[in-house]
Amino acid sequence: MKFSDLIDGGRLAAGGLKDFAVGLAHPSLRLGVTGLSRAGKTVFITSLIQALLKGGRFPAFEAYAGGRISRVYLEPQPDDGLPRFPYEDHLEALSQGETRHWPEGTRQISQLRLTIEYEPRGLVARTVGSGKLHLDIVDYPGEWLLDLPLMGMSYARWSALTIAASRSGPRLSRAGDWHAHLATLDAMASADETKAIRAAQLFTAYLASCRDDDASLSALPPGRFLMPGDFAGSPLLAFAPLDVNEDAVFSSGSLGALMERRYDSYVARIVKPFFFGHFARLDRQIVLVDALSALNAGAAAVSDLQTALAGILACFRQGSNSIVSSLFGRRIDRILFAATKADLLHQTSHDRLENILRLIVNDAANRAEYSGAVIDVVALAAIRATREARVTQKGETLDCIAGTPEKGEAIGNQVFDGNTEAAIFPGDLPENPRAALDGSLEGHLKFVRFRPPLKRLETFPHIRMDRAAEFLIGDRLA
Ligand code: GDP
């Protein structure tokens, strides 16, 4: 073990000790909610909190369905250094009648504490009295999670891997401007700040282009380049890969040495504090995945998603946070992967979507040689914006979904005005999940963005949120 690991271990132990001491008095569960930008984190958390506070229809969430939950309320969150998840603002956005709209998505880490009072299940447990669980929901960008492998990687190796990946598949066609500039850079020439900044700008534009709807690629570290949080414009982000071997050594004063120093600072001042301060303190994790967009974008996007999930699972591998677990028994013991926006498909495809995600996750777990927490998968819609509809067209009956498409969305020649309902045939998923991974669904699914539903009940309609809640917190309310 290196000296720096020991220091980091000490840092972690201090945080863990605080959690441990507090946890003795009041049991708490820190639930991480992550996923790449637009995967649906904000909508998921808002819907979950509302259902728990107001008593949503959650038949598969046993404690709720069995009437054992006596009271749920929000409490001031325990970490003063973290922004609060703006639940009320998000709810307000979704509830504004005709002007309702989806809330602004996650841009940085935030947290909210929910306290659940419940009647324990067993007779003996009940005689001890009612139970209380603090549920701390921690929302953070999945882009930051994909940075964790950088902790064990040198600048030269990261450069070599990043550039190799950019020379094939859909990345290549998006890398033109950046590659052209890269070809003008000499790692051993003397350091030049303007060139470093220009390289960072072009590299960031390349990453952003790989994320857009057509490509839908996932594995794109460094995550703060796309999701900077508080670091927007910081010199910590003014670096980019150089075309070097993975064992390159840079002489002092060279461009390579400047880039390497910034990369090392990025890891030391952004990635490690996130890992030790937040990630390593989680008990459970839900990873939201926009699998439908990846399936629709084709084989490269699906395989990239798999790479990203393997990277994520490697972070969760037991042992990587073993200092925490051995000292304080705190470690992530359950991870749920959830394919979001299942309401964009007819219900006949929900199980199929789940099976496809299961296959992707299993393959990723094999690749990451994963062992550790219990993993499950679910296809869900945090807020169901559509309902089922059957449409007969030329004698054929189609299983459709109906809702109000967002203004400007279009299918063929039809452009929607944001107020008109429409029934859409989104396409089917194949029964054999393997058949979905080879890219054959590319462009085959028809998605439009729907407006949130007009709220008629106290809580939002959803798909399988109760299953997610049962897996993530059910056992802690036993
Ligand atoms: P974040 O970036 O991960 O926080 O993603 P958001 O929660 O902001 O979701 C991104 C977008 O996905 C939203 O603005 C909605 O358009 C859409 N969305 C999220 N959840 C759902 C859902 O359950 N159903 C539907 N139809 N759309 C959703």
Side-chain angles (χ1 to χ4, degrees):
M1 189 183 258
K2 292 199 306 253
F3 181 61
S4 65
D5 291 339
L6 290 174
I7 296 176
D8 289 335
R11 221 186 317 177
L12 191 58
L17 191 57
K18 194 174 125 220
D19 290 345
F20 183 68
V22 174
L24 281 182
H26 306 289
S28 70
L29 184 71
R30 284 179 85 81
L31 170 64
V33 178
T34 197
L36 295 177
S37 168
R38 301 199 61 78
K41 300 178 288 298
T42 307
V43 175
F44 174 86
I45 297 173
T46 307
S47 167
L48 178 68
I49 294 173
Q50 200 203 25
L52 292 175
L53 286 176
K54 304 277 182 195
R57 262 184 44 76
F58 266 32
F61 185 34
E62 189 277 325
Y64 228 116
R68 292 194 295 106
I69 295 198
S70 39
R71 198 155 85 96
V72 182
Y73 47 96
L74 295 173
E75 279 206 89
Q77 55 143 340
D79 296 277
D80 293 336
L82 273 183
R84 180 176 184 275
F85 179 84
Y87 164 67
E88 293 80 4
D89 295 351
H90 294 332
L91 195 59
E92 164 80 12
L94 286 159
S95 311
Q96 286 169 2
E98 284 311 316
T99 55
R100 70 196 183 280
H101 55 93
W102 296 104
E104 175 138 0
T106 302
R107 310 231 131 245
Q108 58 164 331
I109 188 164
S110 68
Q111 187 191 41
L112 196 73
R113 167 166 280 198
L114 206 64
T115 297
I116 304 175
E117 290 178 4
Y118 63 96
E119 298 299 325
R121 201 167 11 208
L123 207 58
V124 179
R126 267 205 299 271
T127 56
V128 178
S130 59
K132 193 191 232 188
L133 178 73
H134 296 305
L135 177 64
D136 292 323
I137 301 177
V138 182
D139 174 28
Y140 66 93
E143 285 81 356
W144 299 3
L145 192 57
L146 289 173
D147 269 356
L148 297 187
L150 302 185
M151 289 195 294
M153 206 183 285
S154 70
Y155 168 72
R157 181 164 161 70
W158 169 73
S159 280
L161 291 178
T162 304
I163 289 178
S166 73
R167 287 190 169 139
S168 65
R171 287 169 195 256
L172 182 60
S173 60
R174 288 154 197 273
D177 291 347
W178 167 49
H179 279 175
H181 184 256
L182 182 65
T184 69
L185 300 178
D186 175 1
M188 301 307 164
S190 55
D192 180 333
E193 176 76 310
T194 339
K195 283 186 177 163
I197 292 175
R198 185 73 191 131
Q201 284 167 343
L202 291 167
F203 176 58
T204 307
Y206 153 77
L207 293 178
S209 157
C210 291
R211 255 318 276 163
D212 73 17
D213 281 353
D214 290 343
S216 271
L217 298 175
S218 306
L220 300 161
R224 299 278 177 156
F225 282 46
L226 293 179
M227 210 33 84
D230 296 337
F231 290 96
S234 159
L236 287 173
L237 307 188
F239 69 93
L242 288 169
D243 198 356
V244 292
N245 289 330
E246 54 179 81
D247 48 8
V249 177
F250 307 104
S251 49
S252 125
S254 66
L255 181 64
L258 172 68
M259 296 284 202
E260 184 178 48
R261 194 189 76 214
R262 293 221 164 121
Y263 171 90
D264 289 343
S265 301
Y266 179 91
V267 172
R269 292 169 58 179
I270 299 183
V271 184
K272 284 190 176 176
F274 169 68
F275 178 76
F276 292 109
H278 305 298
F279 179 77
R281 293 171 58 203
L282 298 174
D283 300 303
R284 303 245 159 118
Q285 177 69 57
I286 177 166
V287 180
L288 303 176
V289 181
D290 189 355
L292 290 175
S293 294
L295 291 172
N296 206 34
V302 174
S303 120
D304 213 65
L305 175 62
Q306 218 149 18
T307 307
L309 294 186
I312 287 176
L313 279 169
C315 306
F316 291 119
R317 203 164 35 205
Q318 227 158 58
S320 55
N321 54 1
S322 57
I323 305 172
V324 209
S325 47
S326 58
L327 283 181
F328 304 108
R330 205 166 188 123
R331 71 161 77 117
I332 289 178
D333 62 353
R334 288 186 179 203
I335 309 170
L336 182 62
F337 286 90
T340 51
K341 311 179 199 181
D343 59 325
L344 299 184
L345 293 172
H346 189 265
Q347 57 158 331
T348 45
S349 284
H350 293 167
D351 283 342
R352 295 179 181 187
L353 178 59
E354 216 162 273
N355 290 338
I356 293 169
L357 182 64
R358 180 165 289 118
L359 189 66
I360 295 177
V361 169
N362 282 346
D363 284 357
N366 287 338
R367 225 198 293 177
E369 296 177 359
Y370 176 77
S371 73
V374 180
I375 296 181
D376 201 0
V377 298
V378 66
L380 60 77
I383 295 185
R384 184 174 193 158
T386 68
R387 54 197 163 70
E388 315 274 298
R390 295 202 118 183
V391 174
T392 308
Q393 210 175 41
K394 295 179 192 154
E396 198 190 348
T397 305
L398 295 175
D399 286 329
C400 293
I401 50 168
T404 310
E406 297 271 6
K407 187 173 178 191
E409 289 290 294
I411 290 202
N413 295 333
Q414 190 178 5
V415 182
F416 297 103
D417 63 6
N419 292 312
T420 314
E421 276 231 330
I424 287 161
F425 176 62
D428 300 314
L429 296 179
E431 212 174 317
N432 174 2
R434 270 253 167 245
L437 304 191
D438 61 6
S440 54
L441 287 176
E442 184 171 343
H444 165 86
L445 302 170
K446 205 171 286 154
F447 296 127
V448 300
R449 284 187 233 276
F450 286 93
R451 294 188 66 194
L454 256 180
K455 206 163 146 242
R456 296 196 177 85
L457 303 168
E458 270 241 272
T459 55
F460 292 106
H462 66 86
I463 297 169
R464 300 183 183 176
M465 283 291 281
D466 47 339
R467 269 190 43 200
E470 178 65 22
F471 179 77
L472 292 169
I473 46 180
D475 64 315
R476 295 295 299 268
L477 302 172

Coordinates of all heavy atoms in Angstrom, one line a residue, residues 147 150 154-155 158-159 162 178 185 192-193 195-204 207 221-225 234-242 255-268 270-271:
D147 N -15.7 8.6 -13.4 CA -14.4 9.2 -13.1 C -13.6 8.3 -12.1 O -12.3 8.4 -12.1 CB -14.4 10.6 -12.5 CG -14.4 11.6 -13.6 OD1 -14.3 11.3 -14.8 OD2 -14.6 12.8 -13.2
L150 N -10.3 6.7 -12.8 CA -9.1 7.5 -13.0 C -8.2 7.5 -11.8 O -7.0 7.8 -12.0 CB -9.5 8.9 -13.4 CG -10.4 9.2 -14.6 CD1 -10.6 10.6 -14.9 CD2 -9.8 8.5 -15.8
S154 N -2.6 6.5 -14.7 CA -1.7 7.7 -14.9 C -2.3 8.5 -16.1 O -3.1 8.0 -16.9 CB -0.3 7.2 -15.3 OG -0.4 6.6 -16.6
Y155 N -1.8 9.7 -16.2 CA -2.2 10.6 -17.3 C -1.8 10.0 -18.6 O -2.7 9.9 -19.6 CB -1.5 12.0 -17.2 CG -1.7 12.8 -18.4 CD1 -2.9 13.3 -18.7 CD2 -0.6 13.0 -19.3 CE1 -3.1 14.0 -19.9 CE2 -0.8 13.7 -20.5 CZ -2.0 14.2 -20.8 OH -2.2 14.9 -22.0
W158 N -4.3 7.1 -19.4 CA -5.6 7.7 -19.8 C -5.6 8.3 -21.2 O -6.5 8.1 -22.0 CB -6.0 8.7 -18.7 CG -7.2 9.5 -19.1 CD1 -8.5 9.0 -19.2 CD2 -7.3 10.8 -19.6 NE1 -9.3 10.0 -19.6 CE2 -8.6 11.1 -19.9 CE3 -6.3 11.8 -19.8 CZ2 -9.0 12.4 -20.4 CZ3 -6.7 13.1 -20.3 CH2 -8.0 13.3 -20.6
S159 N -4.5 9.0 -21.5 CA -4.4 9.6 -22.8 C -4.4 8.6 -23.9 O -5.2 8.6 -24.9 CB -3.0 10.4 -23.0 OG -3.1 11.6 -22.4
T162 N -7.9 6.9 -24.2 CA -8.9 7.8 -24.7 C -8.7 8.1 -26.2 O -9.7 8.1 -27.0 CB -8.8 9.2 -23.9 OG1 -9.0 8.9 -22.6 CG2 -9.9 10.1 -24.4
W178 N -11.0 18.1 -33.0 CA -10.0 17.8 -31.9 C -8.8 17.1 -32.5 O -7.7 17.5 -32.1 CB -10.8 17.0 -30.8 CG -9.8 16.4 -29.8 CD1 -8.8 17.1 -29.2 CD2 -9.8 15.1 -29.3 NE1 -8.2 16.3 -28.3 CE2 -8.7 15.0 -28.4 CE3 -10.5 13.9 -29.6 CZ2 -8.4 13.8 -27.8 CZ3 -10.2 12.8 -29.0 CH2 -9.1 12.7 -28.1
L185 N 0.1 19.1 -31.8 CA 0.7 19.2 -30.4 C 1.9 18.2 -30.2 O 1.8 17.1 -30.6 CB -0.3 19.0 -29.4 CG -1.5 19.9 -29.3 CD1 -2.5 19.5 -28.3 CD2 -1.1 21.3 -29.1
D192 N 2.6 25.3 -23.2 CA 2.0 26.5 -23.8 C 0.5 26.5 -23.3 O -0.3 25.6 -23.7 CB 2.0 26.4 -25.3 CG 1.4 27.6 -26.0 OD1 0.5 28.2 -25.4 OD2 1.8 27.9 -27.1
E193 N 0.2 27.5 -22.4 CA -1.1 27.5 -21.8 C -2.3 27.6 -22.9 O -3.3 27.0 -22.8 CB -1.2 28.7 -20.8 CG -2.5 28.9 -20.2 CD -2.8 28.0 -19.1 OE1 -2.7 26.7 -19.3 OE2 -3.2 28.4 -18.0
K195 N -2.4 26.6 -25.9 CA -2.6 25.3 -26.6 C -3.3 24.4 -25.7 O -4.2 23.6 -26.1 CB -1.3 24.7 -27.0 CG -0.7 25.4 -28.3 CD 0.5 24.7 -28.8 CE 1.0 25.4 -30.0 NZ 2.4 25.0 -30.4
A196 N -3.0 24.4 -24.4 CA -3.6 23.4 -23.4 C -5.1 23.8 -23.4 O -6.0 22.9 -23.4 CB -3.0 23.6 -22.1
I197 N -5.4 25.1 -23.3 CA -6.8 25.5 -23.2 C -7.6 25.1 -24.4 O -8.7 24.6 -24.4 CB -6.9 27.0 -22.9 CG1 -6.4 27.3 -21.4 CG2 -8.4 27.5 -23.0 CD1 -6.3 28.7 -21.0
R198 N -7.0 25.4 -25.6 CA -7.7 25.1 -26.9 C -7.9 23.6 -27.0 O -9.0 23.1 -27.4 CB -6.8 25.5 -28.0 CG -7.4 25.4 -29.4 CD -8.5 26.4 -29.6 NE -9.3 26.1 -30.8 CZ -10.6 26.1 -30.8 NH1 -11.3 26.4 -29.8 NH2 -11.2 25.8 -31.9
A199 N -6.9 22.8 -26.6 CA -7.1 21.3 -26.6 C -8.2 20.9 -25.7 O -9.1 20.1 -26.1 CB -5.8 20.6 -26.2
A200 N -8.3 21.5 -24.5 CA -9.4 21.1 -23.6 C -10.8 21.5 -24.2 O -11.7 20.7 -24.1 CB -9.2 21.8 -22.3
Q201 N -10.8 22.7 -24.8 CA -12.1 23.1 -25.4 C -12.6 22.1 -26.5 O -13.7 21.7 -26.6 CB -12.0 24.5 -26.1 CG -12.0 25.6 -25.0 CD -11.5 26.9 -25.6 OE1 -10.9 27.0 -26.7 NE2 -11.8 28.0 -24.9
L202 N -11.6 21.8 -27.4 CA -12.0 20.9 -28.5 C -12.3 19.5 -28.0 O -13.2 18.8 -28.5 CB -10.9 20.8 -29.6 CG -10.7 22.1 -30.3 CD1 -9.3 22.1 -31.1 CD2 -11.8 22.4 -31.3
F203 N -11.6 19.0 -27.0 CA -11.8 17.7 -26.5 C -13.2 17.7 -25.8 O -14.0 16.7 -25.9 CB -10.7 17.4 -25.5 CG -10.9 16.1 -24.7 CD1 -11.0 14.9 -25.4 CD2 -10.9 16.1 -23.3 CE1 -11.2 13.7 -24.7 CE2 -11.1 14.9 -22.6 CZ -11.2 13.7 -23.3
T204 N -13.5 18.8 -25.1 CA -14.9 18.8 -24.4 C -16.0 18.8 -25.4 O -17.0 18.1 -25.3 CB -15.0 20.1 -23.5 OG1 -13.8 20.2 -22.7 CG2 -16.2 20.1 -22.7
L207 N -16.5 15.3 -26.6 CA -17.2 14.5 -25.6 C -18.7 14.8 -25.6 O -19.5 13.9 -25.6 CB -16.7 14.8 -24.2 CG -15.3 14.3 -23.8 CD1 -14.9 14.7 -22.4 CD2 -15.1 12.8 -24.0
P221 N -15.2 9.7 -19.7 CA -14.5 10.5 -18.7 C -13.5 11.4 -19.3 O -13.0 11.2 -20.4 CB -13.8 9.5 -17.8 CG -13.7 8.3 -18.6 CD -14.8 8.3 -19.7
P222 N -13.1 12.5 -18.6 CA -13.5 13.0 -17.3 C -14.9 13.6 -17.2 O -15.2 14.5 -18.0 CB -12.4 14.0 -17.0 CG -11.5 14.0 -18.1 CD -12.2 13.4 -19.3
G223 N -15.6 13.1 -16.2 CA -17.0 13.5 -16.1 C -17.3 14.9 -15.9 O -18.3 15.5 -16.4
R224 N -16.3 15.6 -15.3 CA -16.6 17.1 -15.0 C -16.5 17.9 -16.2 O -16.9 19.1 -16.2 CB -15.6 17.6 -14.0 CG -15.6 16.9 -12.6 CD -16.8 17.4 -11.8 NE -16.8 16.7 -10.5 CZ -17.3 17.1 -9.4 NH1 -17.8 18.3 -9.3 NH2 -17.3 16.4 -8.3
F225 N -15.9 17.3 -17.3 CA -15.9 18.1 -18.5 C -17.3 18.3 -19.1 O -17.7 19.3 -19.7 CB -15.0 17.4 -19.6 CG -13.5 17.6 -19.3 CD1 -13.0 17.5 -18.1 CD2 -12.7 18.0 -20.4 CE1 -11.7 17.7 -17.9 CE2 -11.3 18.2 -20.2 CZ -10.8 18.0 -18.9
S234 N -12.9 26.2 -14.3 CA -11.7 26.1 -13.4 C -10.5 25.6 -14.2 O -10.6 24.8 -15.1 CB -12.0 25.1 -12.3 OG -10.8 24.6 -11.8
P235 N -9.2 26.1 -13.8 CA -8.0 25.6 -14.5 C -7.9 24.0 -14.3 O -7.2 23.4 -15.1 CB -6.9 26.3 -13.9 CG -7.5 27.1 -12.8 CD -9.0 27.1 -12.9
L236 N -8.6 23.5 -13.3 CA -8.5 22.1 -13.1 C -9.0 21.3 -14.3 O -8.8 20.1 -14.5 CB -9.2 21.6 -11.9 CG -8.6 22.0 -10.5 CD1 -9.6 21.7 -9.4 CD2 -7.3 21.2 -10.3
L237 N -9.8 22.0 -15.1 CA -10.4 21.3 -16.3 C -9.7 21.7 -17.6 O -10.1 21.3 -18.7 CB -11.9 21.6 -16.5 CG -12.8 21.4 -15.2 CD1 -14.3 21.6 -15.6 CD2 -12.6 20.0 -14.6
A238 N -8.6 22.4 -17.5 CA -7.8 22.8 -18.7 C -6.8 21.8 -19.1 O -5.6 22.2 -19.1 CB -7.3 24.2 -18.5
F239 N -7.2 20.6 -19.3 CA -6.2 19.6 -19.8 C -6.9 18.7 -20.8 O -8.2 18.8 -20.9 CB -5.6 18.8 -18.7 CG -6.5 17.9 -18.0 CD1 -6.6 16.5 -18.4 CD2 -7.3 18.3 -17.0 CE1 -7.5 15.7 -17.8 CE2 -8.2 17.4 -16.3 CZ -8.3 16.1 -16.7
A240 N -6.2 17.9 -21.6 CA -6.8 17.0 -22.6 C -5.7 16.0 -22.9 O -4.6 16.1 -22.5 CB -7.1 17.8 -23.9
P241 N -6.1 14.9 -23.5 CA -5.2 13.8 -23.8 C -4.2 14.2 -24.8 O -4.5 15.1 -25.7 CB -6.0 12.7 -24.3 CG -7.4 13.1 -24.3 CD -7.5 14.5 -23.9
L242 N -3.0 13.7 -24.8 CA -2.0 13.9 -25.8 C -1.7 12.5 -26.5 O -1.8 11.5 -25.8 CB -0.7 14.5 -25.3 CG -0.8 16.0 -24.8 CD1 0.4 16.4 -24.0 CD2 -1.0 16.9 -26.0
L255 N 4.8 20.5 -22.5 CA 3.4 20.5 -22.5 C 2.8 19.2 -21.9 O 1.8 19.3 -21.1 CB 2.9 20.5 -24.0 CG 1.4 20.6 -24.2 CD1 0.8 21.8 -23.7 CD2 1.1 20.5 -25.8
G256 N 3.5 18.1 -22.1 CA 3.1 16.8 -21.5 C 3.1 16.9 -20.0 O 2.1 16.5 -19.3
A257 N 4.1 17.6 -19.4 CA 4.2 17.7 -17.9 C 3.1 18.6 -17.4 O 2.5 18.3 -16.3 CB 5.6 18.2 -17.6
L258 N 2.8 19.6 -18.2 CA 1.7 20.5 -17.7 C 0.3 19.8 -17.7 O -0.4 19.9 -16.7 CB 1.6 21.7 -18.7 CG 0.4 22.7 -18.4 CD1 0.5 23.4 -17.1 CD2 0.2 23.7 -19.6
M259 N 0.1 19.0 -18.8 CA -1.2 18.3 -18.8 C -1.2 17.2 -17.7 O -2.3 17.0 -17.1 CB -1.3 17.6 -20.2 CG -1.4 18.5 -21.4 SD -3.0 19.3 -21.5 CE -3.0 19.7 -23.3
E260 N -0.1 16.6 -17.5 CA -0.1 15.5 -16.5 C -0.3 16.1 -15.1 O -1.1 15.6 -14.3 CB 1.3 14.9 -16.5 CG 1.5 13.7 -15.6 CD 2.9 13.1 -15.7 OE1 3.9 13.8 -15.7 OE2 2.9 11.9 -15.8
R261 N 0.3 17.3 -14.9 CA 0.1 17.9 -13.5 C -1.4 18.3 -13.3 O -2.0 18.0 -12.3 CB 0.9 19.2 -13.5 CG 1.0 19.7 -12.0 CD 1.7 21.1 -12.0 NE 0.7 22.1 -12.4 CZ 1.0 23.2 -13.0 NH1 2.3 23.4 -13.4 NH2 0.1 24.1 -13.3
R262 N -2.1 18.8 -14.4 CA -3.5 19.1 -14.2 C -4.3 17.9 -14.1 O -5.3 17.9 -13.3 CB -3.9 19.9 -15.5 CG -3.3 21.2 -15.6 CD -4.2 22.3 -16.0 NE -3.6 23.6 -15.8 CZ -3.4 24.5 -16.7 NH1 -3.7 24.3 -18.0 NH2 -2.8 25.7 -16.4
Y263 N -4.0 16.9 -14.8 CA -4.8 15.6 -14.7 C -4.6 15.1 -13.2 O -5.6 14.7 -12.6 CB -4.2 14.6 -15.7 CG -4.8 13.2 -15.5 CD1 -5.9 12.8 -16.2 CD2 -4.1 12.2 -14.7 CE1 -6.4 11.5 -16.0 CE2 -4.6 10.9 -14.6 CZ -5.8 10.6 -15.2 OH -6.3 9.3 -15.1
D264 N -3.4 15.1 -12.7 CA -3.2 14.6 -11.4 C -4.0 15.5 -10.4 O -4.5 15.0 -9.4 CB -1.7 14.6 -11.0 CG -1.0 13.5 -11.8 OD1 -1.6 12.6 -12.3 OD2 0.3 13.6 -11.9
S265 N -4.0 16.8 -10.6 CA -4.8 17.7 -9.7 C -6.3 17.4 -9.8 O -7.0 17.4 -8.8 CB -4.6 19.2 -10.1 OG -3.3 19.5 -10.0
Y266 N -6.7 17.1 -11.0 CA -8.1 16.8 -11.2 C -8.5 15.5 -10.3 O -9.5 15.5 -9.6 CB -8.4 16.5 -12.7 CG -9.8 16.1 -13.0 CD1 -10.7 17.0 -13.4 CD2 -10.2 14.7 -13.0 CE1 -12.0 16.7 -13.7 CE2 -11.5 14.4 -13.4 CZ -12.4 15.3 -13.7 OH -13.7 15.0 -14.0
V267 N -7.6 14.5 -10.4 CA -7.9 13.3 -9.7 C -7.8 13.6 -8.2 O -8.7 13.2 -7.4 CB -6.9 12.2 -10.1 CG1 -7.0 11.0 -9.1 CG2 -7.1 11.8 -11.5
A268 N -6.8 14.4 -7.7 CA -6.6 14.6 -6.3 C -7.6 15.5 -5.7 O -8.1 15.3 -4.6 CB -5.2 15.1 -6.1
I270 N -10.6 16.6 -7.2 CA -12.1 16.5 -7.6 C -12.5 15.0 -7.4 O -13.5 14.7 -6.7 CB -12.3 16.9 -9.0 CG1 -12.0 18.4 -9.2 CG2 -13.8 16.7 -9.4 CD1 -12.2 19.0 -10.5
V271 N -11.8 14.1 -8.0 CA -12.3 12.7 -8.0 C -12.1 12.1 -6.6 O -13.1 11.5 -6.1 CB -11.5 11.8 -9.0 CG1 -12.0 10.4 -9.1 CG2 -11.5 12.5 -10.4

